[in-house]
Amino acid sequence: MPLNSLDLARARWFGSDSPKHIRFSAHGSSVVTCLLFFHNRIISASDDHSIHIYSPFTGELIHSLEGHEGGVWALAASQDTLVSGSTDRTVRIWDLKNGRCTHVFGGHTSTVRCLAIVKPEMVDMPVVGGKEGETKKERWPKRPLIVTGSRDHSLRVWKLPKPSEPEYKADNGDPDAGDNPYHCLHLSDHDHAVRALAARGRTLVSGSYDCTVRIWDIITGEQKWVLVGHTQKVYSVLLDVSRKQACSGSMDGIVRIWSLTTGTCLHTLTGHTSLVGLLGLSPSYLVSAAADSTLRIWDPSTGELKHTLTHTGAITCFQHDEYKVLSGSDGNLKMWNVEDGTLVRDLLTGITGVWQVVFEGRWCVAASNRNDSTVLDVWDFGREEDEGWTEGSSSGVDSDEDGNDENTGDGEVRAQEIEREEKHVVQDDQPIPKGFVNIAL
């Protein structure tokens, strides 16, 4: 199978009547808060404090990463390194080859709710003393970084430790991070919890319960823009580097597209009637998902609505690429054609809820609840003649050399719980009540 052929990849996903499928139990009956498919590993995190690594071929548990003292709510991976954030207020770094925790970073004083690994890439930088608008290409950041966002209203920037560098494990949480040689910046201008972030090159975008979106220089810590317009909490953000834009979704039901150049709102995307907790971007499509049971597909350049996809319950998870959308809601997991908005197939039906879904190349993984037990379903849409088709060959979404496509695996919103948010606040050190997922976190 030619690895660059979207037509053949589409044919496999849309035309395979019976893809290879296995199902196995995971994390007891606990919620799967994060899910990654990375270098032929399934990586799942849970509110049971653990992170599991499974084989997609057999479902075998390869490693159980133990150490967090609270639920794990954010993950990102690069090569053989995994970074996790937890309600225990720490950031942990793990060696995926042996499952060992190599670093523990303290500093945040509340739940670490979102994080990203930022890798060096070429970016346009203004020429000092040059003509207006004159730029040159520079490589930033100079080394990989970690950015974390927390319910303590702040973000922190850290160096991603290299395997050859000394291990560091904070004592008693190390609340000021002052002794940590990997700590770079503490960004504390938000007035409420930081719920979402995205970062590329030197640009960091953060979304907060203070209703603002903020744009930062990740190297200097300078706050470039405070983007005001949302009237309720911001739950999701993303960066559209090619168009020099950022996007945000809010509890006010609005999706906004912002200019990174001028700090103005370019497009206000209306139509959702409740919390927009999920956003995704591919080269041609911006997709938003909300508690109103719909996903909406937009043109990211113009803000034009292309299609509306409708479930019977709030959207709990989704992922998309240049030809398909996979979306989960209470009771089912569906596959849609992103180009015309039609339903292709139901992958799961008759289940209690779908916590997470992720796909990469020929593989799809979903975490769901069946009969009060948490299970992982794994599909392989490849054929024997597709032996060379593994990761990243079907999506049309840019990936870096490690196969990491910026999908951090942040546990997303069980949006049907929206009305309970103001009535029930989960404290950092408490387990999640049965059926109550991360809307309050």
Side-chain angles (χ1 to χ4, degrees), residues 389-408:
W389 182 29
T390 54
E391 293 188 43
S393 57
S394 70
S395 69
V397 179
D398 292 337
S399 296
D400 64 24
E401 63 274 15
D402 298 324
N404 180 15
D405 64 359
E406 305 288 338
N407 181 355
T408 61

PDB file of all heavy atoms in Angstrom, residues 389-408:
ATOM      1  N   TRP A 389       2.215  -0.075   6.450  1.00  0.00           N
ATOM      2  CA  TRP A 389       1.319   0.999   6.899  1.00  0.00           C
ATOM      3  C   TRP A 389       1.178   0.915   8.400  1.00  0.00           C
ATOM      4  O   TRP A 389       0.521   0.047   8.934  1.00  0.00           O
ATOM      5  CB  TRP A 389      -0.045   0.848   6.222  1.00  0.00           C
ATOM      6  CG  TRP A 389      -1.037   1.916   6.573  1.00  0.00           C
ATOM      7  CD1 TRP A 389      -0.779   3.206   6.915  1.00  0.00           C
ATOM      8  CD2 TRP A 389      -2.459   1.776   6.610  1.00  0.00           C
ATOM      9  NE1 TRP A 389      -1.942   3.881   7.154  1.00  0.00           N
ATOM     10  CE2 TRP A 389      -2.987   3.030   6.971  1.00  0.00           C
ATOM     11  CE3 TRP A 389      -3.334   0.726   6.356  1.00  0.00           C
ATOM     12  CZ2 TRP A 389      -4.357   3.249   7.105  1.00  0.00           C
ATOM     13  CZ3 TRP A 389      -4.690   0.947   6.484  1.00  0.00           C
ATOM     14  CH2 TRP A 389      -5.198   2.191   6.850  1.00  0.00           C
ATOM     15  N   THR A 390       1.831   1.824   9.115  1.00  0.00           N
ATOM     16  CA  THR A 390       1.780   1.784  10.575  1.00  0.00           C
ATOM     17  C   THR A 390       1.228   3.086  11.089  1.00  0.00           C
ATOM     18  O   THR A 390       0.038   3.302  11.097  1.00  0.00           O
ATOM     19  CB  THR A 390       3.165   1.490  11.164  1.00  0.00           C
ATOM     20  OG1 THR A 390       4.108   2.445  10.634  1.00  0.00           O
ATOM     21  CG2 THR A 390       3.611   0.085  10.819  1.00  0.00           C
ATOM     22  N   GLU A 391       2.107   4.001  11.501  1.00  0.00           N
ATOM     23  CA  GLU A 391       1.634   5.238  12.087  1.00  0.00           C
ATOM     24  C   GLU A 391       1.678   6.381  11.087  1.00  0.00           C
ATOM     25  O   GLU A 391       2.514   6.450  10.212  1.00  0.00           O
ATOM     26  CB  GLU A 391       2.513   5.625  13.293  1.00  0.00           C
ATOM     27  CG  GLU A 391       2.390   4.661  14.454  1.00  0.00           C
ATOM     28  CD  GLU A 391       3.122   5.203  15.667  1.00  0.00           C
ATOM     29  OE1 GLU A 391       2.999   6.402  15.950  1.00  0.00           O
ATOM     30  OE2 GLU A 391       3.812   4.436  16.323  1.00  0.00           O
ATOM     31  N   GLY A 392       0.753   7.320  11.259  1.00  0.00           N
ATOM     32  CA  GLY A 392       0.835   8.616  10.621  1.00  0.00           C
ATOM     33  C   GLY A 392       0.660   8.639   9.126  1.00  0.00           C
ATOM     34  O   GLY A 392       0.907   9.668   8.510  1.00  0.00           O
ATOM     35  N   SER A 393       0.254   7.529   8.509  1.00  0.00           N
ATOM     36  CA  SER A 393       0.223   7.497   7.056  1.00  0.00           C
ATOM     37  C   SER A 393      -1.158   7.726   6.471  1.00  0.00           C
ATOM     38  O   SER A 393      -1.328   7.707   5.275  1.00  0.00           O
ATOM     39  CB  SER A 393       0.746   6.142   6.565  1.00  0.00           C
ATOM     40  OG  SER A 393      -0.001   5.083   7.116  1.00  0.00           O
ATOM     41  N   SER A 394      -2.157   7.951   7.329  1.00  0.00           N
ATOM     42  CA  SER A 394      -3.503   8.089   6.786  1.00  0.00           C
ATOM     43  C   SER A 394      -4.147   9.426   7.086  1.00  0.00           C
ATOM     44  O   SER A 394      -5.135   9.795   6.488  1.00  0.00           O
ATOM     45  CB  SER A 394      -4.402   6.982   7.354  1.00  0.00           C
ATOM     46  OG  SER A 394      -4.656   7.203   8.722  1.00  0.00           O
ATOM     47  N   SER A 395      -3.600  10.170   8.020  1.00  0.00           N
ATOM     48  CA  SER A 395      -4.364  11.291   8.554  1.00  0.00           C
ATOM     49  C   SER A 395      -4.286  12.543   7.709  1.00  0.00           C
ATOM     50  O   SER A 395      -5.207  13.341   7.683  1.00  0.00           O
ATOM     51  CB  SER A 395      -3.883  11.619   9.981  1.00  0.00           C
ATOM     52  OG  SER A 395      -2.590  12.147   9.954  1.00  0.00           O
ATOM     53  N   GLY A 396      -3.145  12.773   7.060  1.00  0.00           N
ATOM     54  CA  GLY A 396      -2.952  14.043   6.384  1.00  0.00           C
ATOM     55  C   GLY A 396      -2.643  15.167   7.353  1.00  0.00           C
ATOM     56  O   GLY A 396      -2.538  16.320   6.967  1.00  0.00           O
ATOM     57  N   VAL A 397      -2.448  14.831   8.634  1.00  0.00           N
ATOM     58  CA  VAL A 397      -2.088  15.828   9.644  1.00  0.00           C
ATOM     59  C   VAL A 397      -0.594  15.771   9.841  1.00  0.00           C
ATOM     60  O   VAL A 397      -0.010  14.703   9.979  1.00  0.00           O
ATOM     61  CB  VAL A 397      -2.813  15.548  10.981  1.00  0.00           C
ATOM     62  CG1 VAL A 397      -2.417  16.570  12.027  1.00  0.00           C
ATOM     63  CG2 VAL A 397      -4.318  15.570  10.770  1.00  0.00           C
ATOM     64  N   ASP A 398       0.046  16.932   9.855  1.00  0.00           N
ATOM     65  CA  ASP A 398       1.491  16.965   9.986  1.00  0.00           C
ATOM     66  C   ASP A 398       1.918  16.345  11.308  1.00  0.00           C
ATOM     67  O   ASP A 398       1.375  16.631  12.368  1.00  0.00           O
ATOM     68  CB  ASP A 398       2.004  18.413   9.935  1.00  0.00           C
ATOM     69  CG  ASP A 398       1.825  19.020   8.567  1.00  0.00           C
ATOM     70  OD1 ASP A 398       1.741  18.248   7.599  1.00  0.00           O
ATOM     71  OD2 ASP A 398       1.772  20.260   8.473  1.00  0.00           O
ATOM     72  N   SER A 399       2.964  15.495  11.238  1.00  0.00           N
ATOM     73  CA  SER A 399       3.579  14.936  12.424  1.00  0.00           C
ATOM     74  C   SER A 399       5.059  15.258  12.379  1.00  0.00           C
ATOM     75  O   SER A 399       5.647  15.406  11.315  1.00  0.00           O
ATOM     76  CB  SER A 399       3.380  13.419  12.492  1.00  0.00           C
ATOM     77  OG  SER A 399       2.021  13.089  12.619  1.00  0.00           O
ATOM     78  N   ASP A 400       5.685  15.338  13.557  1.00  0.00           N
ATOM     79  CA  ASP A 400       7.115  15.579  13.570  1.00  0.00           C
ATOM     80  C   ASP A 400       7.857  14.266  13.374  1.00  0.00           C
ATOM     81  O   ASP A 400       7.274  13.216  13.181  1.00  0.00           O
ATOM     82  CB  ASP A 400       7.534  16.285  14.867  1.00  0.00           C
ATOM     83  CG  ASP A 400       7.293  15.432  16.102  1.00  0.00           C
ATOM     84  OD1 ASP A 400       7.235  14.183  16.013  1.00  0.00           O
ATOM     85  OD2 ASP A 400       7.166  16.013  17.176  1.00  0.00           O
ATOM     86  N   GLU A 401       9.178  14.333  13.505  1.00  0.00           N
ATOM     87  CA  GLU A 401       9.963  13.151  13.197  1.00  0.00           C
ATOM     88  C   GLU A 401       9.717  12.025  14.177  1.00  0.00           C
ATOM     89  O   GLU A 401      10.058  10.879  13.916  1.00  0.00           O
ATOM     90  CB  GLU A 401      11.461  13.514  13.191  1.00  0.00           C
ATOM     91  CG  GLU A 401      12.007  13.998  14.533  1.00  0.00           C
ATOM     92  CD  GLU A 401      11.811  15.493  14.732  1.00  0.00           C
ATOM     93  OE1 GLU A 401      11.021  16.096  13.981  1.00  0.00           O
ATOM     94  OE2 GLU A 401      12.448  16.057  15.633  1.00  0.00           O
ATOM     95  N   ASP A 402       9.141  12.327  15.322  1.00  0.00           N
ATOM     96  CA  ASP A 402       8.889  11.284  16.312  1.00  0.00           C
ATOM     97  C   ASP A 402       7.520  10.667  16.164  1.00  0.00           C
ATOM     98  O   ASP A 402       7.164   9.760  16.911  1.00  0.00           O
ATOM     99  CB  ASP A 402       8.985  11.876  17.732  1.00  0.00           C
ATOM    100  CG  ASP A 402      10.371  12.410  18.012  1.00  0.00           C
ATOM    101  OD1 ASP A 402      11.349  11.808  17.551  1.00  0.00           O
ATOM    102  OD2 ASP A 402      10.456  13.432  18.690  1.00  0.00           O
ATOM    103  N   GLY A 403       6.712  11.167  15.240  1.00  0.00           N
ATOM    104  CA  GLY A 403       5.359  10.665  15.133  1.00  0.00           C
ATOM    105  C   GLY A 403       4.429  11.282  16.147  1.00  0.00           C
ATOM    106  O   GLY A 403       3.312  10.831  16.325  1.00  0.00           O
ATOM    107  N   ASN A 404       4.871  12.330  16.841  1.00  0.00           N
ATOM    108  CA  ASN A 404       4.028  12.977  17.836  1.00  0.00           C
ATOM    109  C   ASN A 404       3.319  14.144  17.189  1.00  0.00           C
ATOM    110  O   ASN A 404       3.933  15.105  16.768  1.00  0.00           O
ATOM    111  CB  ASN A 404       4.905  13.479  19.002  1.00  0.00           C
ATOM    112  CG  ASN A 404       4.087  14.152  20.075  1.00  0.00           C
ATOM    113  OD1 ASN A 404       2.862  14.005  20.105  1.00  0.00           O
ATOM    114  ND2 ASN A 404       4.751  14.872  20.952  1.00  0.00           N
ATOM    115  N   ASP A 405       1.992  14.079  17.087  1.00  0.00           N
ATOM    116  CA  ASP A 405       1.263  15.070  16.304  1.00  0.00           C
ATOM    117  C   ASP A 405       0.617  16.135  17.180  1.00  0.00           C
ATOM    118  O   ASP A 405      -0.422  16.667  16.842  1.00  0.00           O
ATOM    119  CB  ASP A 405       0.204  14.385  15.439  1.00  0.00           C
ATOM    120  CG  ASP A 405      -0.855  13.692  16.277  1.00  0.00           C
ATOM    121  OD1 ASP A 405      -0.756  13.735  17.506  1.00  0.00           O
ATOM    122  OD2 ASP A 405      -1.785  13.132  15.684  1.00  0.00           O
ATOM    123  N   GLU A 406       1.242  16.423  18.327  1.00  0.00           N
ATOM    124  CA  GLU A 406       0.760  17.456  19.224  1.00  0.00           C
ATOM    125  C   GLU A 406      -0.495  17.049  19.981  1.00  0.00           C
ATOM    126  O   GLU A 406      -1.043  17.828  20.731  1.00  0.00           O
ATOM    127  CB  GLU A 406       0.475  18.777  18.453  1.00  0.00           C
ATOM    128  CG  GLU A 406       1.647  19.292  17.643  1.00  0.00           C
ATOM    129  CD  GLU A 406       2.755  19.847  18.484  1.00  0.00           C
ATOM    130  OE1 GLU A 406       2.501  20.224  19.622  1.00  0.00           O
ATOM    131  OE2 GLU A 406       3.890  19.904  18.009  1.00  0.00           O
ATOM    132  N   ASN A 407      -0.951  15.823  19.789  1.00  0.00           N
ATOM    133  CA  ASN A 407      -2.114  15.370  20.543  1.00  0.00           C
ATOM    134  C   ASN A 407      -1.649  14.953  21.910  1.00  0.00           C
ATOM    135  O   ASN A 407      -1.038  13.909  22.082  1.00  0.00           O
ATOM    136  CB  ASN A 407      -2.778  14.190  19.823  1.00  0.00           C
ATOM    137  CG  ASN A 407      -4.001  13.707  20.548  1.00  0.00           C
ATOM    138  OD1 ASN A 407      -4.326  14.181  21.633  1.00  0.00           O
ATOM    139  ND2 ASN A 407      -4.679  12.743  19.951  1.00  0.00           N
ATOM    140  N   THR A 408      -1.938  15.760  22.929  1.00  0.00           N
ATOM    141  CA  THR A 408      -1.390  15.532  24.239  1.00  0.00           C
ATOM    142  C   THR A 408      -2.180  14.556  25.071  1.00  0.00           C
ATOM    143  O   THR A 408      -1.752  14.181  26.149  1.00  0.00           O
ATOM    144  CB  THR A 408      -1.305  16.860  25.016  1.00  0.00           C
ATOM    145  OG1 THR A 408      -2.618  17.397  25.163  1.00  0.00           O
ATOM    146  CG2 THR A 408      -0.413  17.825  24.287  1.00  0.00           C
TER     147      THR A 408
END
